Amino acid sequence: MAYLTLSGINKIYPNGFHAVHDFNLEVEKGEFIVFVGPSGCGKSTTLRMIAGLENISKGDFLINGERVNEKSPREREIAMVFQSYALYPHMSVYENMSFGLTLQGVDEDVIEQKVLATAKVLGLTDYLDRKPRELSGGQRQRVAVGRAIIRKVGIFLMDEPLSNLDAKQRVTMRSEITQIHRQTGATTIYVTHDQTEAMTMADRIVVMKEGYIQQIGTPHDLYFDPVNMFVAGFIGEPPMNFIRTVVKGGKIGIGKTDIELSGIADQAVITELEGKEIAFGFRPEHVALCDVNAAKPENAVKLDCKVELTELLGDNTNVYIDIDGISSILKIDPHMTPEIDSQISFTIDYGHIYLFDAVTEERIKTRLC
Ligand code: ATP
């Protein structure tokens, strides 16, 4: 039996807006789940229903097999960290962290022991006497996390907890939260719109769009096996390239280059696709530059293009290209950065080609993916 079960969860706000549609998810004890998706897709609403801060319009939420739809946040034994840290400004770090336990009537000695242990984990030992205004954003965020984990609850919910931090602090806190999760083993649901956070922290990711789950899977699944164009485009930076084209005589044209689909998909699939518009997808990093005059390799597509712009990012270069009027991006070794306006060629292995139905945007199963 799963630890958390969300079954057919829907949220319809009082104004009639249907924010979450038929959300189904089973979470195992100790899992780190990330809800990711663009602004307004229903991540926070779902998290707030799990927390008990928002009522569930339809569906069942179970903790350990028990339906808890009507239970208060406290009865659900859940701790939550919000985007705004919501620390008490007049209290010290020690008091902010101990407040919840004091309210519960926990012994002062026990509280002290817990605060000191939690502060040690979070690197806050030297700041216990300070007020929140005397801390950096990252330190405040750690106090908020400390206040939540000190209660040793089974379920830990976090809503965009790193969004107020600068880029460097975000990277540090990301790994700290992952480590805290390893140490506490608390089942965690973490909301973000940042796919890098999702990919680096999650055991499993739930990708949402406009109130609907698009795909649930491990970071590896979502990157290598996306179910549709939305997921394929959302996960990965720069996003996957999509080139729309029509299947004619078992071939597709990418600019002036004809590509035989027989190397990529089974004959039955190709027959089915005849005359249909599809999207040819490839990730910017799944290309290899090659000599313009080189022959097409056996198990790869070779495309010619003109370099429009290059961005040297240090560990790689983004190359903005034009393939006979079609714009795409390649992500390559910075030592191979080509000249702007030069003609280059590159190959994509058949195994790195994704095909999608251009109308439904669903993935078409190829032979090698
Ligand atoms: P963000 O990343 O911007 O926080 P989100 O994915 O968390 O977005 P939600 O806050 O869950 O999105 O909101 C989902 C949808 O529900 C949005 O379109 C939002 O405008 C709408 N919504 C949120 N709260 C209410 C409310 N109280 N009444 C009506 N609609 C609401």
Side-chain angles (χ1 to χ4, degrees), residues 11-28:
K11 179 66 189 181
I12 302 163
Y13 279 110
N15 68 355
F17 184 73
H18 200 151
V20 178
H21 299 256
D22 294 324
F23 192 103
N24 292 297
L25 175 69
E26 297 210 327
V27 180
E28 296 302 328

Side-chain angles (χ1 to χ4, degrees), residues 246-262:
V246 175
V247 180
K248 278 192 209 131
K251 291 183 196 167
I252 49 171
I254 303 294
K256 292 183 186 127
T257 307
D258 274 344
I259 298 171
E260 291 273 2
L261 286 179
S262 56

Side-chain angles (χ1 to χ4, degrees), residues 13 15 17 19 38-45 160:
Y13 279 110
N15 68 355
F17 184 73
S39 181
C41 71
K43 311 178 290 289
S44 296
T45 301
E160 305 249 8

Side-chain angles (χ1 to χ4, degrees), residues 182-200:
R182 274 205 207 106
Q183 286 171 17
T184 60
T187 309
T188 304
I189 303 184
Y190 184 104
V191 161
T192 180
H193 60 268
D194 181 333
Q195 59 99 19
T196 312
E197 272 176 36
M199 291 295 278
T200 52

